[in-house]
Amino acid sequence: RQRQMCIRDRTYSPTSFGDGSAILYGTVETEGGQVALTNRCGAVRFTLTDDADIPGLLRKIVLRSNAPEAPIAGEFAFDLTDGKLDPIAERGSNEVTLLLPDEGVTLDPATARDFYLTIPAGDYPQGFTITFVGDCGRTMECQWLRAAQGAEPGITVHAGRIVRFASMNFDAKRRITSEEDWNEFALAVNTSENDDWMEEWADRNGTVKLAADISATELTCITKEWTGTFDGDGHTITRTQAALPLFATVCGTIRNLTLAGKMTLSSLSVSGSVALASVLEGGTLENCINKMNIVHEGAMHAAMAGLVRSFKGGAIRKCVNEGDLTLIVDCSSDSYNAYAGGIAATIHDLSSKAEIEDCTNKGKISIRTDMGSDNNNGLNFAGFGGIAGWLADGDADRFARFSHCTNSGTIIYEHGSSAKAPSKTLCCGGILGLGAPATSTSAISNPLTSTCYYAEFDTCSNEGAILNGGISASSSGAPLSKIYSGGIAGAVFGLPDKHSLIRNCINTGSVQPHEGKYSRAAFSGVCAGLIGLGGY
């Protein structure tokens, strides 16, 4: 015979095991005979102290089995013939919680306090993770992987016996779970000296963790240079009226974070129109996603991106932009420069290599100049790309490397005048818009006489449409004042002694002059499947 039974969270008892802790089994052969009951579960014990001046208040203990095939809660089949517990597929849980009183449990620096959790007896081949949650979201997480020093990974819990975990001091740090938590954290970073904020917010590895999704109109942005590690832990920060990047300058690490919401700007922003960071220099972004839609309209020089405005070295890995980027520049009174990229707006002033690996743009990048006036001067100098807008640095030691990057978003530029147009270059590309220097007379210098920038493109691909509606004042074949478009890059110029490397790249997207309101593509537009204009 079998029956189903459910193993749930436990209720804490200060003097003994809580209710529902013991699952007992016994059989009898004759009616009225004596039944000997034996345990089907074992117990794990945690011993905590707190040596802080003000002892901590414990709110919850969570035990998690690290092996998916070894659940410790949920629904089990209970075999009445032998007392065996078998987890029911897709109904088990790898996590069980010890529920503490509403007022919490105060830890004593002088006296160790024991806590017990009962779980089904058996082998747990990857051990456990134990999370202790205190007041104000303070959290300590421990790994319990081996039964004894030098033993093979795995822990065995015997029925009716207690497995003792090592005694620990409750050295917990705050985790960010709300808008209020974030604002307190950001204020602490912005105002502290010598990274004093880490004492409260960073764990022993120097990591600050986001423990819940946050949604707010706007949040306090971190304006001080970020040198620590911020782990979004897969959560999302949504800002419905964002005005600044969440971080100013990042020299540390940001990972596993998703951004969402909307940013709408109408004036010049030194920080740029970007969701995550104004500057990335020597730091790392990893597994970050931007879903925020960004709109910037006004008379200004502009830089727009999903994640980073100015990339000055470091690494961006496995990041994605899904937000739509819309840039509208009023060029009626002057001509402005503009750059936009799904991941980074500009790559320049490199202090180290700039690695962009396994990154993807899925958002639409739309740029237009004022469509209502024939006095429109047009953009002076511009680069728009699915991954990056303008590359403005690179030599044999410090250079940008695009590896396994993809673009599937449409990149479209529209110019709003037939009477006026700039005599400088405007470039659009699936991976990079423009990889060449700017001078006072032309956007692209002659590679035979000027130093350009080394870069690498390795196994990159584009399937998005590249629709470049820029026009040029040039009416001749002069190569320095044209509109260039390419499936990988609009323009790339390497160095005479270090040619740019482009290998294993594929374009399947349409590359063409955009049939917008005006077009001079017949004599000023150059399109190609991979590179619009190349040198070295």
Side-chain angles (χ1 to χ4, degrees):
R1 296 182 182 182
Q2 282 192 347
R3 60 174 298 179
Q4 289 185 11
M5 61 186 309
C6 189
I7 300 176
R8 297 185 172 90
D9 294 340
R10 311 285 187 268
T11 301
Y12 168 73
S13 171
T15 57
S16 65
F17 292 92
D19 293 341
S21 292
I23 298 174
L24 302 175
Y25 162 78
T27 59
V28 63
E29 295 183 358
T30 59
E31 185 176 351
Q34 292 184 340
V35 180
L37 297 176
T38 58
N39 283 286
R40 296 294 91 191
C41 289
V44 291
R45 185 181 78 179
F46 318 110
T47 302
L48 287 181
T49 57
D50 190 349
D51 60 8
D53 294 336
I54 302 176
L57 190 67
L58 198 62
R59 296 290 186 181
K60 183 170 64 174
I61 298 176
V62 179
L63 180 68
R64 183 170 70 250
S65 169
N66 295 328
E69 68 277 9
I72 55 178
E75 294 189 23
F76 292 77
F78 187 54
D79 192 327
L80 296 180
T81 60
D82 59 10
K84 185 178 180 181
L85 286 171
D86 288 319
I88 298 176
E90 299 182 355
R91 296 185 184 180
S93 172
N94 281 50
E95 188 174 285
V96 65
T97 299
L98 183 62
L99 302 173
L100 304 182
D102 292 340
E103 65 275 14
V105 175
T106 302
L107 297 175
D108 190 329
T111 306
R113 187 183 292 274
D114 292 333
F115 300 88
Y116 297 89
L117 266 169
T118 53
I119 60 175
D123 294 327
Y124 295 90
Q126 296 181 29
F128 301 103
T129 298
I130 308 103
T131 303
F132 302 94
V133 181
D135 55 331
C136 299
R138 291 179 172 85
T139 304
M140 182 175 77
E141 191 170 87
C142 304
Q143 295 286 329
W144 188 12
L145 304 178
R146 298 175 184 271
Q149 185 69 28
E152 291 298 318
I155 296 171
T156 299
V157 176
H158 297 282
R161 299 181 64 180
I162 297 173
V163 180
R164 292 171 174 83
F165 190 52
S167 297
M168 297 164 288
N169 183 63
F170 186 57
D171 181 22
K173 305 297 180 181
R174 291 185 67 173
R175 288 193 178 185
I176 300 168
T177 61
S178 66
E179 175 184 355
E180 293 74 19
D181 284 346
W182 172 271
N183 288 336
E184 285 186 41
F185 159 66
L187 181 63
V189 174
N190 291 339
T191 59
S192 70
E193 297 182 2
N194 302 318
D195 292 334
D196 296 338
W197 60 268
M198 295 186 70
E199 179 64 27
E200 181 175 7
W201 294 96
D203 63 19
R204 66 188 63 187
N205 298 315
T207 300
V208 177
K209 282 197 174 183
L210 182 65
D213 293 345
I214 297 176
S215 182
T217 301
E218 179 58 305
L219 295 169
T220 300
C221 297
I222 294 177
T223 57
K224 193 173 182 180
E225 183 179 276
W226 176 254
T227 58
T229 298
F230 184 86
D231 190 343
D233 207 22
H235 294 293
T236 300
I237 293 179
T238 301
R239 296 183 290 159
T240 57
Q241 296 181 23
L244 292 169
L246 200 60
F247 292 80
T249 299
V250 176
C251 301
T253 299
I254 301 174
R255 64 188 182 219
N256 306 323
L257 176 64
T258 298
L259 301 173
K262 187 173 183 179
M263 176 184 287
T264 302
L265 301 176
S266 58
S267 61
L268 176 64
S269 172
V270 176
S271 300
S273 314
V274 59
L276 183 56
S278 178
V279 177
L280 176 64
E281 184 168 9
T284 300
L285 304 184
E286 192 168 30
N287 292 319
C288 292
I289 302 172
N290 175 57
K291 297 182 178 181
M292 177 182 287
N293 294 323
I294 302 175
V295 178
H296 196 163
E297 181 175 3
M300 72 263 167
H301 296 288
M304 174 179 285
L307 292 174
V308 177
R309 179 194 187 277
S310 299
F311 187 17
K312 298 185 177 183
I316 306 177
R317 300 188 183 100
K318 298 180 180 178
C319 291
V320 180
N321 176 63
E322 298 179 4
D324 290 337
L325 309 179
T326 303
L327 182 61
I328 304 169
V329 183
D330 179 0
C331 296
S332 59
S333 59
D334 201 351
S335 55
Y336 295 99
N337 300 333
Y339 322 101
I343 301 299
T346 63
I347 304 173
H348 65 99
D349 297 335
L350 294 177
S351 58
S352 62
K353 287 184 182 180
E355 300 274 359
I356 303 182
E357 303 174 3
D358 298 302
C359 291
T360 301
N361 176 63
K362 300 179 181 180
K364 180 180 180 180
I365 300 176
S366 177
I367 308 97
R368 76 171 193 261
T369 55
D370 183 6
M371 303 295 286
S373 172
D374 276 346
N375 293 320
N376 194 324
N377 293 285
L379 289 172
N380 179 52
F381 170 52
F384 309 115
I387 301 300
W390 180 33
L391 170 65
D393 199 358
D395 57 30
D397 299 316
R398 302 170 297 105
F399 58 87
R401 183 172 187 269
F402 301 85
S403 174
H404 296 87
C405 292
T406 61
N407 174 65
S408 60
T410 296
I411 301 172
I412 180 171
Y413 172 72
E414 298 175 274
H415 179 62
S417 173
S418 62
K420 293 186 178 182
S423 59
K424 297 188 180 179
T425 302
L426 192 151
C427 296
C428 293
I431 301 301
L432 174 68
L434 173 61
T439 71
S440 60
T441 58
S442 70
I444 298 181
S445 299
N446 187 338
L448 296 177
T449 60
S450 300
T451 299
C452 297
Y453 312 127
Y454 176 69
E456 294 184 359
F457 300 81
D458 190 354
T459 319
C460 294
S461 63
N462 173 68
E463 59 184 47
I466 312 298
L467 308 174
N468 188 349
I471 67 173
S472 172
S474 172
S475 59
S476 70
L480 304 183
S481 56
K482 295 215 176 264
I483 312 304
Y484 299 104
S485 308
I488 298 301
V492 174
F493 279 11
L495 300 171
D497 57 348
K498 185 76 171 176
H499 295 186
S500 286
L501 174 65
I502 302 168
R503 66 184 176 194
N504 299 330
C505 292
I506 298 173
N507 172 56
T508 58
S510 172
V511 184
Q512 62 184 9
H514 177 58
E515 293 297 331
K517 185 176 180 181
Y518 304 106
S519 176
R520 293 187 188 177
F523 57 81
S524 67
V526 177
C527 296
L530 295 178
I531 306 296
L533 178 66
Y536 295 122

